[in-house]
Amino acid sequence: MCNLYSMTSNPQAIREIAKVLEDRTGNLQPLPEIYPNTMAPIVRNSENGRELVMARWGMPTPSGYLKGHKVDRGVTNIRNPTSTWWKRWEDMQHRCLVPLTAFSEPERLPDGKSRPVWFARSDGEPLAFFAGIWCRWTSVRKLADGETTDDLFGFLTTEAN
């Protein structure tokens, strides 16, 4: 699954389609290239209804995969949500929608390099959503920042078919 997507639709469209009651994103600008560990908008449930917030792309990495690493770059695509690691975030409180206008997959070129191939809705609609989960987590995401507490999210995906 992709590690690059874009969200260039306007915030009003997100609020209307996802029935957002509170927008906490501030002045949400178009995001033509969203990479892992980047802040991006998500729609999540709160006590007062659905809210639109900014969160960092990449859920916490299972601890077994972090041995010998000083930084947790996060898991962007959760392919096995039945794993015990992800069970703690399977409830309604941790579900989210991730708005997007397109996502890319790498195309391998004959010279060994790759380039992004972009996919978007073919029905003319500019906005789509990935299903996702989110959590608040304390870790070292960037060595220069040290330990921080962030709202994190990841896409719910499946094995490649």
Side-chain angles (χ1 to χ4, degrees):
M1 187 61 195
C2 74
N3 273 319
L4 172 60
Y5 73 102
S6 69
M7 210 314 289
T8 57
S9 185
N10 68 64
Q12 183 60 32
I14 299 168
R15 290 190 297 265
E16 287 175 9
I17 293 170
K19 297 180 174 55
V20 170
L21 296 177
E22 191 166 356
D23 184 344
R24 297 177 181 262
T25 60
N27 185 15
L28 181 60
Q29 298 294 310
L31 299 167
E33 294 182 327
I34 302 170
Y35 290 96
N37 216 24
T38 300
M39 298 295 285
I42 64 170
V43 177
R44 67 183 181 192
N45 294 314
S46 72
E47 290 180 8
N48 299 323
R50 290 188 181 160
E51 62 182 3
L52 181 61
V53 299
M54 298 299 283
R56 187 177 301 281
W57 186 22
M59 288 291 283
T61 303
S63 55
Y65 293 100
L66 289 175
K67 290 184 178 154
H69 297 276
K70 295 179 180 178
V71 173
D72 179 1
R73 299 198 187 282
V75 176
T76 57
N77 300 296
I78 298 148
R79 292 179 183 87
N80 182 11
T82 60
S83 161
T84 55
W85 179 255
W86 305 116
K87 287 296 223 185
R88 68 185 93 187
W89 300 302
E90 71 180 2
D91 61 338
M92 285 290 276
Q93 178 185 349
H94 291 98
R95 294 179 190 172
C96 68
L97 295 172
V98 183
L100 69 134
T101 50
F103 69 92
S104 79
E105 292 290 340
E107 176 186 23
R108 299 284 175 226
L109 302 173
D111 64 2
K113 296 180 181 177
S114 67
R115 69 175 175 201
V117 176
W118 288 92
F119 297 87
R121 290 181 59 161
S122 62
D123 59 5
E125 291 293 325
L127 187 60
F129 293 87
F130 282 127
I133 58 174
W134 77 276
C135 72
R136 183 159 294 135
W137 194 259
T138 301
S139 63
V140 177
R141 298 296 292 217
K142 295 180 180 179
L143 206 51
D145 295 342
E147 191 173 81
T148 60
T149 299
D150 300 288
D151 287 349
L152 309 175
F153 73 94
F155 302 154
L156 294 175
T157 62
T158 63
E159 293 295 326
N161 55 16

